[in-house]
Amino acid sequence: MPAYIVIGAQWGDEGKGKIVDVLAEKMDLVLRFQGGANAGHTVLHGNTKYVTHLVPSGVISGCALNIIGNGCVVCPFTLLEEMQILEKQGVCITPANFVISEAAHMVLPVHKYLDKRLNERIGTTVRGIGPAYTDKISRSGIRWETVVKGTFEAAYHEHLDYVEKVFAVVDKDEMDRLRASLPQLLETLEKLQPFVQDARPQLAEAIRENKKILFEGAQGTFLDIDHGTYPFVTSSSTSIGGAFTGSGVFLDFDKRIGIVKSYTTRVGEGPFPTELLDANGEKLRKNGNEYGATTGRPRRCGWLDLALLKRSCLINGFNYLVFSKISCLSGLGTLKVAIDYDAAGKPVYTELPGWDEDIEGCRDFNALPENCRNYIKFVEDFLQVPIGLVSTGPDREHVILRKTLFTS
Ligand code: IMP
């Protein structure tokens, strides 16, 4: 069965957008299974730049059905605004090609407020993600089904009564502001209601009919609520397990694609053993334009961490790797790669010779400098998973295909 899943192998921002975009145009169904507007995909089609945070990428390339799965948390205002911008750019979005699972949870204004007030030490994107998932798990959240059932207004009042009881940080003025946001929410939800459905029967039918399906992961494996660098994580299951709870129908993925950046980056707080706080870190940030797609924050940069990636392969069962942003390593001199940690938790490095040639846009593996080819082969041998595709630049044509992604 032609089913694909794309997952970030590190801390997010590995360059998933580009590969998802290339795959999405060949798919019958694209599904997002976790996260919310904390994710950010920028896709270039010719001269047009599309930015998505919530809507699955298949909408842009014209794929048949795009689903926001039940594992996601969705802010109505952010979603409607994103849909309107895409529509202005000529993207067609109708209930026939876009579905919001009725079991997905809502991100409400109070969640964004709480995120700002409570989560500073984590360095979140302040999109209300953590508080929305907290409410989901504590069984006090609001699902999108309330829009269809006509129970949203009552649920909203009930939720704010709960917030008032539980959160001392929400003062009286803020409570008044939150209660006053109801009319605007109702107006927005009325526009979104036609898109809200039980998405599971449509997914089950696509599987039964052997349709081409893509699950589009957001963030990266080490931001996973269970397997990441807790508590410096996001609040969803970003690794492969999230695909099952976040969609509701079992799918045996043929291609479990891990996107690996050829160095490491992370945004926000938390451990980062191979972080570079020197000129090389600066150089990587500059070469890779490493600034957050959602918040614009400068990303922390460091050497490739293969010890971490080995774990990522175990967690996700990757059977195909995409190695991205290799052109950003040109001119760095000797490259270090972490292969283990010592007793104190410090990385143990191996050194590999670097290269100076500009390789941006290269499409032929054999045309790469020998040291670059050896770097790629070293990673592949260490992880014991084939690197099927090497990305050599921002354009969708800037790729070296070593192993096809398509079974038929
Ligand atoms: P939250 O997802 O906004 O709760 O943020 C939790 C942590 O995950 C913070 O360190 C964020 O910077 C990080 N994070 C969330 N989304 C992304 C992403 O799409 N790329 C990289 N980091 C992210």
Side-chain angles (χ1 to χ4, degrees):
M1 186 208 308
Y4 302 78
I5 184 163
V6 171
I7 288 177
Q10 293 144 313
W11 276 291
D13 311 309
E14 295 90 352
K16 290 181 289 294
K18 182 166 137 177
I19 182 74
V20 161
D21 180 48
V22 169
L23 280 171
E25 64 183 14
K26 297 199 166 31
M27 296 293 138
D28 301 305
L29 188 154
V30 179
L31 183 143
R32 275 269 318 259
F33 55 88
Q34 47 73 225
N38 48 351
H41 279 174
T42 304
V43 171
L44 276 175
H45 271 213
N47 290 330
T48 315
K49 183 167 135 183
Y50 300 94
V51 180
T52 58
H53 296 282
L54 283 163
V55 178
S57 305
V59 166
I60 298 166
S61 46
C63 145
L65 184 60
N66 297 272
I67 297 175
I68 292 188
N70 58 275
C72 298
V73 287
V74 184
C75 166
F77 297 132
T78 312
L79 176 61
L80 188 63
E81 191 188 346
E82 183 173 319
M83 288 165 69
Q84 286 169 343
I85 293 172
L86 289 170
E87 277 165 350
K88 272 200 197 113
Q89 292 183 293
V91 177
C92 170
I93 306 179
T94 72
N97 73 350
F98 176 51
V99 170
I100 309 159
S101 164
E102 59 182 25
H105 274 248
M106 259 187 226
V107 175
L108 296 163
V110 68
H111 295 132
K112 295 186 189 180
Y113 178 78
L114 289 172
D115 206 0
K116 197 157 55 194
R117 295 297 305 270
L118 301 176
N119 288 328
E120 203 173 342
R121 86 186 164 114
I122 306 290
T124 72
T125 58
V126 207
R127 296 296 187 272
I129 306 300
Y133 277 116
T134 302
D135 275 351
K136 171 178 173 172
I137 299 299
S138 68
R139 294 158 296 183
S140 15
I142 301 185
R143 304 211 310 185
W144 276 79
E145 66 192 4
T146 53
V147 181
V148 184
K149 292 180 175 161
T151 55
F152 175 77
E153 195 169 339
Y156 190 69
H157 289 305
E158 200 183 315
H159 183 252
L160 284 185
D161 289 345
Y162 162 84
V163 165
E164 198 168 22
K165 265 190 255 152
V166 174
F167 293 101
V169 13
V170 187
D171 60 22
K172 168 129 187 359
D173 287 352
E174 188 56 31
M175 274 315 298
D176 289 345
R177 269 192 291 277
L178 293 168
R179 291 196 202 282
S181 52
L182 182 61
Q184 206 191 344
L185 265 167
L186 289 174
E187 195 187 313
T188 304
L189 291 173
E190 199 181 327
K191 295 191 181 122
L192 293 171
Q193 181 183 343
F195 299 92
V196 184
Q197 293 175 41
D198 181 357
R200 288 164 279 210
Q202 301 201 54
L203 176 60
E205 189 186 326
I207 296 170
R208 213 172 28 248
E209 291 179 355
N210 219 24
K211 294 271 175 67
K212 294 193 228 53
I213 296 170
L214 170 66
F215 275 37
E216 177 182 355
Q219 289 88 42
T221 298
F222 294 102
L223 289 174
D224 187 286
I225 186 75
D226 287 277
H227 306 297
T229 42
Y230 191 90
F232 299 99
V233 291
T234 189
S235 300
S236 66
S237 301
T238 58
S239 57
I240 199 161
F244 304 109
T245 52
S247 64
V249 184
F250 174 75
L251 196 47
D252 191 2
F253 297 101
D254 305 81
K255 290 276 192 306
R256 300 179 293 276
I257 305 166
I259 315 294
V260 177
K261 197 184 281 191
S262 49
Y263 48 98
T264 314
T265 61
R266 120 164 258 180
V267 216
E269 302 305 315
F272 183 172
T274 62
E275 182 169 14
L276 285 165
L277 298 167
D278 58 8
N280 275 336
E282 274 301 325
K283 206 163 186 176
L284 280 172
R285 190 171 304 113
K286 185 164 164 281
N287 289 1
N289 190 25
E290 296 293 355
Y291 295 89
T294 300
T295 58
R297 289 178 288 176
R299 295 179 186 140
R300 300 156 66 192
C301 298
W303 297 122
L304 188 66
D305 188 341
L306 288 179
L308 194 84
L309 280 165
K310 193 97 189 162
R311 202 139 56 81
S312 193
C313 292
L314 279 178
I315 294 169
N316 294 297
F318 293 137
N319 57 9
Y320 188 106
L321 297 179
V322 173
F323 205 44
S324 69
K325 298 190 100 164
I326 188 85
S327 54
C328 304
L329 289 175
S330 294
L332 259 89
T334 299
L335 301 171
K336 287 189 179 184
V337 176
I339 49 165
D340 203 353
Y341 303 113
D342 65 16
K346 295 255 178 296
V348 176
Y349 287 110
T350 222
E351 294 194 350
L352 298 168
W355 59 92
D356 289 327
E357 294 89 334
D358 178 5
I359 55 169
E360 183 164 313
C362 180
R363 302 192 59 189
D364 175 7
F365 188 71
N366 292 317
L368 291 174
E370 188 184 0
N371 289 346
C372 179
R373 276 182 279 143
N374 287 340
Y375 185 81
I376 295 166
K377 285 186 197 148
F378 184 88
V379 173
E380 194 169 45
D381 287 348
F382 190 95
L383 297 177
Q384 290 290 292
V385 183
I387 293 178
L389 202 121
V390 181
S391 174
T392 57
D395 198 279
R396 32 188 291 152
E397 306 299 320
H398 294 166
V399 288
I400 297 169
L401 185 64
R402 301 176 75 215
K403 192 170 184 284
T404 183
L405 261 168
F406 300 104
T407 40
S408 56

